[in-house]
Amino acid sequence: MDSTPPSTGHRARVVPRLLVWAAALTTALALTVGLVVAPPDAAQGTSQRLMYVHVPSAWVAYLCFLTVLVGSLGYVRGRDLRWDRVARAAAELGVGLTALAIVTGALWGRVTWGVWWTWDARLVTTTVLLVVYVGYLGVRGLGEDPHTNARRAAVVGVLGFVNVPLVHFSVVWWRTLHQPPTILAPGTDPPIAPIMAAALGLAMLASTLLAGVVISRRVVRLARAAERTTAAASSPPATESAAFHVVAAPGRTDREAVP
Amino acid sequence: MSGTVVVVIGYLVAGLVWGGYLWWSGREVGDR
């Protein structure tokens, strides 16, 4: 792994317009193909169109949690908070998309299965995944020192990723109501009509590009906030009459009050 | 509940989630 953390310099602070435009155009195209061009499923009817939201949400959540793993390992290796900010931004989005996958799955299940929820291996492992990464975000708020928070979060970020393959392969390893993988079905051609595959592919691409926009914007804002905190910690006290002076260790954003 | 209704609800929820993240990721925030 490259030990160089993601740059937060001037260039990296400007999200490339190309990415934003690509995400916007792909999203518009995905919505058009998914809702208008692709026909309703012969067996499931129009509710199958929820798969163009459900599957990409789960896919991008996987990517987000992979990013959390990479960011966590990067932080552990170099103790650089820039890696931690990438992991944090990815986890924040991954949690929302996992919840979105569960909600859209419940809506689809109500029409197709007749129930909102069932104690199925895929549903249960996905819910556990959500709880683990909500915990990851919660751990970040336990302390005041950003390095302590980052170190604790990195442990959860690395160990928590074990859940991702568990979720993905749960439909293969156990007998479940949830259907097995469609696109990533091992050793078979995808059992899906080409126009539906195109709609799904576009939706997955659009979601991935949107995630790139969201995470990069968030990382830039987190970096700016960290710079403000560091600058505030480094500035001298306003008056000599202050009872306490605030000092900061070089390269650290935590502050220590000394008499 | 019909298929059309759940599709409308699902896409609305997805729009809110993505729209919310796009708005939220552009806000200046405090760091901890």
Side-chain angles (χ1 to χ4, degrees):
Chain A
M1 179 190 300
D2 182 4
S3 62
T4 305
S7 171
T8 53
H10 177 69
R11 281 174 149 182
R13 291 182 183 201
V14 180
V15 177
R17 286 177 181 269
L18 186 64
L19 179 61
V20 175
W21 276 106
L25 290 174
T26 313
T27 300
L29 193 58
L31 288 172
T32 304
V33 175
L35 291 174
V36 179
V37 178
D41 185 81
Q44 302 173 34
T46 198
S47 67
Q48 179 269 337
R49 297 185 198 277
L50 280 172
M51 292 302 109
Y52 305 139
V53 175
H54 175 75
V55 177
S57 299
W59 158 254
V60 177
Y62 286 174
L63 284 183
C64 286
F65 298 143
L66 178 63
T67 306
V68 174
L69 173 69
V70 172
S72 299
L73 291 173
Y75 175 77
V76 169
R77 186 175 180 183
R79 293 291 192 270
D80 191 315
L81 286 173
R82 285 178 287 187
W83 283 111
D84 178 61
R85 287 194 283 270
V86 172
R88 172 179 170 179
E92 290 167 344
L93 181 60
V95 163
L97 293 182
T98 304
L100 180 59
I102 291 173
V103 169
T104 50
L107 288 165
W108 178 87
R110 181 67 184 85
V111 173
T112 309
W113 295 342
V115 292
W116 298 100
W117 170 268
T118 183
W119 293 99
D120 172 272
R122 170 60 71 84
L123 274 64
V124 171
T125 51
T126 304
T127 304
V128 170
L129 183 74
L130 176 64
V131 170
V132 166
Y133 282 92
V134 167
Y136 170 90
L137 295 176
V139 161
R140 310 191 61 90
L142 293 179
E144 291 296 323
D145 177 26
H147 284 278
T148 303
N149 290 338
R151 190 170 60 251
R152 290 171 177 166
V155 173
V156 181
V158 172
L159 296 180
F161 189 76
V162 173
N163 284 279
V164 173
L166 202 62
V167 170
H168 185 71
F169 291 107
S170 61
V171 291
V172 178
W173 293 339
W174 294 293
R175 188 187 301 272
T176 60
L177 181 59
H178 193 287
Q179 66 269 33
T182 300
I183 298 297
L184 298 177
T188 61
D189 291 330
I192 183 172
I195 187 62
M196 292 179 172
L200 189 57
L202 278 169
M204 292 174 82
L205 178 61
S207 299
T208 306
L209 292 171
L210 281 172
V213 172
V214 167
I215 292 174
S216 56
R217 280 158 57 98
R218 180 71 172 153
V219 167
V220 167
R221 266 64 182 187
L222 290 171
R224 283 182 189 164
E227 286 170 7
R228 285 196 301 272
T229 305
T230 304
S234 302
S235 61
T239 64
E240 287 296 322
S241 60
F244 292 89
H245 296 288
V246 177
V247 297
R252 297 292 292 265
T253 56
D254 52 321
R255 296 191 294 176
E256 178 189 3
V258 295
Chain B
M1 189 176 287
S2 74
T4 303
V5 171
V6 296
V7 167
V8 169
I9 294 173
Y11 276 73
L12 279 176
V13 172
L16 285 173
V17 168
W18 276 112
Y21 270 113
L22 284 167
W23 167 78
W24 182 64
S25 65
R27 290 178 62 224
E28 297 294 342
V29 292
D31 186 54
R32 61 175 307 158

